[in-house]
Amino acid sequence: MGQSTSAAGNSILNRRRSKSFSLKFPMESIIESEISQPDYTSFLPDECLALVFQFLNSGNRKRCALVCRRWMIVEGQNRYRLSLHARSDLITSIPSLFSRFDSVTKLSLKCDRRSVSIGDEALVKISLRCRNLKRLKLRACRELTDVGMTAFAENCKDLKIFSCGSCDFGAKGVKAVLDHCSNLEELSIKRLRGFTDIAPELIGPGVAASSLKSICLKELYNGQCFGPVIVGAKNLRSLKLFRCSGDWDLLLQEMAVKDHGVVEIHLERMQVSDVALTAISNCSSLEILHLVKTPECTNFGLAAIAEKCKHLRKLHIDGWKANLIGDEGLVAVARFCSQLQELVLIGVNPTTLSLGMLAAKCLNLERLALCGCDTFGDPELSCIAAKCPALRKLCIKNCPISDVGIENLANGCPGLTKVKIKKCKGVLGGCADWLRTVRPMLSVNADTAEPEHQEEASNDAVGGLQENGIEFPQLNSQIMAPSIASSSRSRSGYFKSGIGLFSGMSLVACTSRQRRASR
């Protein structure tokens, strides 16, 4: 019987093997038939294939490069932007890497703080293989020195955009770029140390004096050594200064005297006063102005700019709650800057006087943001709603408005498309939902604020239950009264809260059963 059983088992096994073989055979035939079909992409010229690759993102381009050898070559020859992790071991891969990507014009080299970055030798090798480089971005390349930057600038003279941050080379390296790159248009220097190794009179715009259009200096201890660069740039359009030490009034006076047609100025946490603002007012082409946490600037300086810079389109003011810029300066802006389109006020206290003037005079005002404005309440919001027909986007944060102002907003601003309300304690979540109902086409993003008396009542109730000896698990107030915040329109949050509530009830029931069993 044992032999007959084993024979039957062998026959079944043979049948399964034959069946699996019969299943594999048609699959192989299908694969062979697919291989025998022609590759229609081979009829496409390399230029057309490269054009297709340009519409793909970086991840999809990498996948396409793995399809075949031809695709890898075409993709590499037509990749113009490259971002690399600039660790020290990159130097061994430079020959093969830039043999494949031989058309790179935009290069980004970034290194993290825990790694050793590339040095001068690697940067020189890259510059020899990327003679047509137009844009270079260096981040945390701490092993680079002035010698390496000088050699790079001599090899890549067609550079148009240069940005560096958290590097350790000094002003001589930046000066080399200015002295050799005659087409340089944008210069961005952030968090560089070593600017004490050169006197201010020795650094200037160099051969980039005519081409330089944008300068950005951020967190520089001796950033004023670039003063001759700012003053000597003949076609400067944008100047951004962030947290640079020193008194900048005199330098901005020298820049504004020439009036090269500056369009955009950013001043953040800078030591500037009304003297600098009065000088900036000579830049009659100014369109964008950011004054962020400059405590020495007052209404007088802002009024001087408004009176002469009548083409102002964007104005951002962070008054730092110093109350030095208010209605007086904003009224001047309303009187003279009729082309204003965007206004951002942070830590400034406007009233209906200035807001009414802005709404009446600046008919193109489309974007308005107010944050931390203690005087912006329901009357001010109602004034905006009634007098700003062109307003499209409104952002209010940490202001003393209430549901009354939101109701008035719903009846005004016919062109409004987006409203953001954050940390306004007087506005409840139900009012935001009501606003969506009244204005279905309006995008509303609002926080949920529950009435204080409801929270106190719930806390008293829980406290009374705990005094009676019954302990309940701590539940969020949003579980007891589900929130209707605008950021979550689905029911998933409410479903999860319900699960948490039921789990708490089951826990109490379970403990009560255990107590009964113990008794």
Side-chain angles (χ1 to χ4, degrees), residues 78 87 117 121 162 192-193 221 238 246 287 364 399 419 510:
N78 293 274
R87 294 182 300 187
S117 69
E121 184 181 357
F162 177 68
L192 291 191
R193 306 171 180 176
Y221 176 74
S238 176
E287 298 181 5
N364 296 323
C399 294
V419 174
C510 181

Side-chain angles (χ1 to χ4, degrees), residues 255-293:
M255 179 206 71
V257 167
K258 299 183 179 180
D259 188 15
H260 298 312
V262 179
V263 177
E264 181 178 6
I265 294 180
H266 289 227
L267 301 175
E268 180 175 339
R269 292 197 179 186
M270 301 290 296
Q271 187 178 344
V272 293
S273 64
D274 290 339
V275 175
L277 297 186
T278 304
I280 291 174
S281 65
N282 294 322
C283 302
S284 57
S285 302
L286 190 66
E287 298 181 5
I288 302 173
L289 176 63
H290 288 219
L291 295 177
V292 180
K293 298 178 180 179

Side-chain angles (χ1 to χ4, degrees), residues 458-471:
S458 61
N459 292 335
D460 293 340
V462 173
L465 291 174
Q466 290 179 350
E467 288 177 359
N468 293 331
I470 304 177
E471 296 182 358

Side-chain angles (χ1 to χ4, degrees), residues 104-121:
V104 173
T105 59
K106 299 178 182 180
L107 180 62
S108 177
L109 300 174
K110 300 179 182 180
C111 185
D112 57 79
R113 296 180 179 179
R114 299 180 180 179
S115 303
V116 179
S117 69
I118 60 173
D120 294 340
E121 184 181 357

